[in-house]
């Protein structure tokens, strides 16, 4: 994090946070218009509203300008211009992130990658797809289907970009068996903080040298901007068997998950929804699922016909042994799609039960599921708020949805505090502060709960190697403001803190 000259505002279009250095800011915006074309630079407050938040609407900030480059050369020129003007910038894909990762910096530049949505190459003999960062996740599977598919499948896959997936190391329902984004990215072209372009990896599975791919995937836009991405696709399974089973409580469904894994069965996906999320989804998806049960477990086996059949029978037996009141089996693709529609509707459908909600994302060891769910129930009661639970059960990745009404005095603050307590409960249970939505601005205060000062210093050294001036998505991920080169040690107040511009959590 570092101070930066203020961009200022074009006089005819006043914007929030206009600073003193207006002439310099106008010069940068004029330069950006030359690079990408005036029609792809937005500075009016009405236009900037689109870019002010990502999916975490609790945070909002207008940038000085949103710029939408059309190719990698334009991205590099935009970033170089920001570097020369000493102005911070933030990359943005589809803006579906849930941790404020794409939140703009006041008076900075937002670089939106939505125009870069071309699939550049489908190389099925080598099982690779090369694409621009603005391509949606689902478009990759559509480009190679039906014989192949791209396994990491965030529930937001119809809108989220592969660039955002790379930055967040996104997961999804099928990641328990298939792995996360990091397991599928083999090559990247990246624009660095000063506009320089580098290539990391390629189509080969494991390139020589430092594993910069591993460092970049999950770096939340703080190490540069990906302008070309090569991913691995895999052959589609021969068969799929999908069922949903209903239980008296999420703990019962959780015990099924433990027994399934212990029994050596590896389903493609195992998702649990509690009663509240079932009620919300049923209103939207109308699947005819019971809404008076405690929980539903959606499980899908995939692989060869024989392996699927054998595993499926065992799965049913385990469900029955844990008091399943009903088991529905998808008899065709339409029924399977309806089951997944119910699950994927859970987040958006929550809007039918509450005017506002906060999506939390934490991980716990699978075996701690009943204990942590009890703790969440107790916290909900203590804070007098409702919490729905939906989770990728195989990975122990919880998504508690904390419902509140922002129009009621103090409820938003209570909801945020409760969401924080849930994260602390996950860490105390031996888990993590995020499973797949990233740290962003939302979770950075919890980083010291998971990492020591020495761990955080190592992260900071890597970040500084890529972003020595602290202008690439500043204020995200790292919990404490620290300039590159600043020596870690006993806490001393940073000049930005003294000036009231940054705070320490
Ligand atoms: C309804 C709903 C369901 C969701 N379900 C899931 C789920 O199941 N699993 C899951 O993992 N997530 C899920 N998410 C969260 C979100 O969709 C993912 O984090 C997704 O990867 C974000 O992609 P995006 O294109 O919207 O990125 P953005 O929100 O635009 O950006 C996210 C981060 O990536 C950075 N970034 C974007 N593009 C680039 C680039 N080209 N180069 C470098 N950095 C870049 C940004 O700076 C930011 O830090 C869900 C969100 C919603 C709204």
């Amino acid at each position: 994090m570092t101070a930066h000259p203020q961009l200022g505002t074009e006089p005819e279009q006043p914007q929030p946070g206009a600073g003193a250095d207006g002439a310099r800011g106008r010069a940068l915006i004029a330069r950006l218009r030359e690079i990408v074309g005036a029609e792809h630079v937005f500075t009016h407050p009405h236009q900037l509203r689109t870019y002010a938040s990502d999916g975490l609407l609790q945070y909002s900030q207008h940038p000085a300008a949103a710029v939408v480059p059309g190719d990698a050369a334009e991205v590099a020129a935009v970033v170089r211009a920001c570097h020369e003007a000493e102005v911070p910038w933030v990359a943005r894909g589809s803006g579906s992130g849930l941790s404020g990762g794409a939140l703009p910096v006041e008076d900075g530049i937002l670089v939106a990658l939505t125009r870069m949505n071309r699939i550049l190459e489908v190389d099925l003999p080598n099982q690779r797809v090369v694409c621009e960062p603005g391509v949606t996740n689902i478009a990759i599977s559509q480009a190679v289907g039906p014989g192949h598919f791209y396994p990491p499948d965030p529930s937001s896959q119809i809108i989220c970009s592969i660039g955002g997936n790379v930055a967040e190391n996104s997961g999804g329902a099928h990641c328990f068996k298939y792995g996360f984004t990091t397991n599928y990215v083999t090559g990247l072209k990246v624009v660095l903080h000063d506009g320089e372009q580098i290539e990391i990896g390629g189509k080969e599975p494991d390139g020589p040298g430092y594993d910069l791919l591993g460092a970049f995937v999950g770096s939340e836009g703080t190490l540069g901007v990906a302008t070309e991405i090569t991913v691995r696709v895999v052959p589609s399974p021969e068969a799929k068997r999908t069922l949903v089973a209903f239980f008296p409580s999420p703990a019962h469904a959780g015990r099924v998950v433990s027994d399934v894994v212990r029994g050596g069965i590896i389903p493609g996906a195992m998702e649990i929804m509690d009663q509240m999320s079932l009620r919300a989804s049923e209103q939207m998806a109308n699947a005819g699922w019971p809404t008076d049960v405690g929980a539903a477990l959606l499980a899908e086996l995939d692989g060869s016909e024989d392996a699927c059949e054998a595993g499926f029978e065992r799965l049913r037996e385990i469900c029955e042994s844990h008091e399943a009141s009903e088991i529905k089996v998808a008899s065709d693709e339409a029924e399977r799609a309806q089951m997944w529609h119910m699950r994927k509707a859970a987040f958006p459908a929550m809007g039918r039960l509450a005017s506002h909600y906060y999506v939390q994302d934490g991980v716990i060891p699978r075996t701690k599921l009943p204990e942590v769910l009890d703790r969440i129930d107790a916290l909900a009661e203590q804070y007098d708020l409702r919490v729905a639970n939906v989770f990728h059960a195989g990975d122990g990745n919880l998504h508690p949805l904390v419902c509140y009404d922002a129009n009621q005095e103090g409820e938003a603050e209570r909801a945020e505090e409760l969401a924080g307590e849930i994260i602390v409960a996950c860490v105390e249970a031996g888990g993590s502060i995020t499973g797949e939505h990233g740290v962003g601005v939302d979770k950075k205060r919890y980083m010291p709960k998971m990492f020591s000062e020495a761990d955080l210093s190592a992260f900071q050294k890597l970040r500084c190697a890529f972003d020595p001036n602290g202008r690439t998505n500043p204020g995200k991920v790292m919990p404490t403001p620290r300039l590159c080169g600043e020596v870690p040690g006993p806490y001393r107040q940073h000049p930005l803190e003294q000036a009231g511009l940054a705070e320490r959590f």
Side-chain angles (χ1 to χ4, degrees):
M1 184 187 280
T2 186
H4 59 85
Q6 305 281 287
L7 266 180
T9 307
E10 293 171 284
E12 72 282 11
Q13 292 170 350
Q15 292 163 35
D21 195 3
R24 199 159 158 198
R26 281 195 294 281
L28 173 58
I29 289 176
R31 176 79 193 107
L32 297 177
R33 287 188 173 126
E34 277 169 25
I35 295 167
V36 301
E39 69 276 28
H40 300 304
V41 177
F42 303 108
T43 57
H44 192 284
H46 291 173
Q47 297 168 323
L48 293 178
R49 199 172 292 168
T50 303
Y51 301 100
S53 302
D54 61 6
L56 182 69
L57 297 171
Q58 286 82 353
Y59 293 83
S60 171
Q61 174 64 59
H62 281 205
V67 181
V68 194
D71 59 28
E74 288 185 5
V75 173
V78 164
V79 171
R80 193 175 311 114
C82 291
H83 173 67
E84 284 165 5
E86 300 183 9
V87 165
W89 57 277
V90 176
R92 177 181 166 113
S94 304
S96 71
L98 290 169
S99 58
L103 182 75
V105 178
E106 186 181 13
D107 294 335
I109 299 298
L110 191 80
V111 184
L113 298 149
T114 36
R115 282 176 65 216
M116 294 176 62
N117 58 1
R118 286 161 289 226
I119 294 204
L120 303 172
E121 187 188 351
V122 173
D123 177 2
L124 282 186
N126 290 306
Q127 299 184 334
R128 296 291 183 273
V129 172
V130 183
C131 60
E132 291 185 319
V135 166
T136 59
N137 172 294
I138 192 104
I140 299 179
S141 287
Q142 285 167 345
V144 297
H148 287 75
F149 76 116
Y150 177 66
D153 58 341
S155 302
S156 52
Q157 67 184 151
I158 56 169
I159 50 152
C160 66
S161 73
I162 188 70
N165 291 179
V166 167
E168 300 289 1
N169 188 19
S170 292
H174 289 84
C175 290
F176 170 60
K177 176 171 181 180
Y178 287 96
F180 288 72
T181 304
T182 193
N183 304 112
Y184 290 88
V185 178
T186 61
L188 290 173
K189 288 188 182 168
V190 172
V191 170
L192 298 177
H193 75 107
D194 54 1
E196 193 173 343
Q197 300 186 61
I198 60 165
E199 195 166 345
I200 315 172
K203 285 187 180 174
E204 70 279 10
D206 182 19
Y210 293 118
D211 182 13
L212 295 184
L213 272 182
F216 194 91
V217 178
S219 61
E220 303 192 26
T222 62
L223 303 187
V225 51
T227 53
E228 190 180 296
I229 297 162
T230 304
V231 294
R232 190 164 63 87
V233 290
V234 299
S236 301
E238 183 190 353
K240 284 181 189 163
R241 297 297 309 270
T242 312
L243 65 72
V244 59
F246 303 99
F247 296 92
S249 74
H252 285 79
R255 282 192 280 274
V256 171
V257 172
S258 293
D259 279 4
V260 166
V261 177
R262 203 174 300 127
I265 306 169
I266 306 191
M270 283 188 288
E271 301 283 300
I272 295 179
M273 299 168 73
D274 73 358
Q275 188 184 69
M276 194 170 156
S277 53
L278 274 175
R279 287 188 171 164
S281 282
E282 181 60 31
Q283 284 184 33
M284 192 165 152
N286 298 311
W289 289 9
T291 51
D292 56 350
V293 294
L297 170 70
L298 172 59
E300 182 162 279
L301 287 175
D302 60 8
S304 69
E305 291 278 2
D306 290 350
C308 255
E309 213 44 58
F312 203 67
E313 276 320 303
R314 184 72 196 112
L315 176 63
R316 284 176 78 123
E317 283 164 19
I318 296 173
C319 288
E320 280 158 7
S321 73
H322 287 285
E323 300 175 41
S325 54
E326 186 186 349
I327 299 176
K328 286 178 189 283
V329 178
S331 59
D332 56 25
E333 184 51 34
E335 282 186 17
R336 176 181 171 267
Q338 174 74 315
M339 287 180 177
W340 278 108
H341 182 40
M342 267 294 279
R343 164 60 187 88
K344 294 193 179 186
F347 287 10
M350 203 49 60
R352 296 179 180 240
L353 300 188
S355 59
H356 299 82
Y357 64 95
Y358 196 98
V359 182
Q360 193 47 286
D361 164 46
V363 181
I364 54 167
R366 264 192 311 267
T367 48
K368 295 285 177 71
L369 202 57
E371 180 186 314
V372 175
L373 289 176
D374 282 351
R375 176 105 184 87
I376 293 174
D377 281 349
L379 285 165
E381 202 171 320
Q382 181 188 333
Y383 281 83
D384 194 20
L385 291 169
R386 290 179 303 162
V387 179
N389 283 294
V390 186
F391 35 99
H392 303 315
D395 301 317
N397 185 188
L398 305 184
H399 289 316
L401 302 157
V402 179
C403 299
Y404 65 97
D405 179 353
N407 301 314
Q408 297 299 319
E409 177 90 25
E411 265 202 25
E413 291 75 14
R414 276 209 330 273
E416 193 176 350
E417 214 175 299
L418 166 54
E421 293 273 2
I422 292 174
I423 280 306
V424 173
C426 290
V427 175
E428 286 174 359
S432 160
I433 63 172
T434 171
E436 53 186 19
H437 295 171
V439 177
V441 278
D442 190 36
K443 300 274 181 71
K444 61 182 184 174
R445 76 192 73 175
Y446 303 112
M447 288 286 272
K449 296 214 175 287
M450 277 199 74
F451 299 106
S452 70
E453 187 64 24
D455 298 338
L456 292 171
S457 286
F459 286 160
Q460 178 71 4
K461 281 180 196 148
L462 177 74
R463 182 173 186 162
C464 288
F466 280 84
D467 180 29
N469 303 309
R471 294 193 201 103
T472 305
N473 208 5
K476 314 288 168 65
V477 185
M478 294 301 287
T480 46
R482 185 179 289 158
L483 298 178
C484 297
E486 189 182 330
V487 184
Y491 171 64
R492 294 180 305 276
Q493 209 180 28
H494 188 276
L496 288 178
E497 291 174 87
Q498 283 167 2
L501 294 172
E503 68 185 298
R504 186 182 169 91
F505 295 102

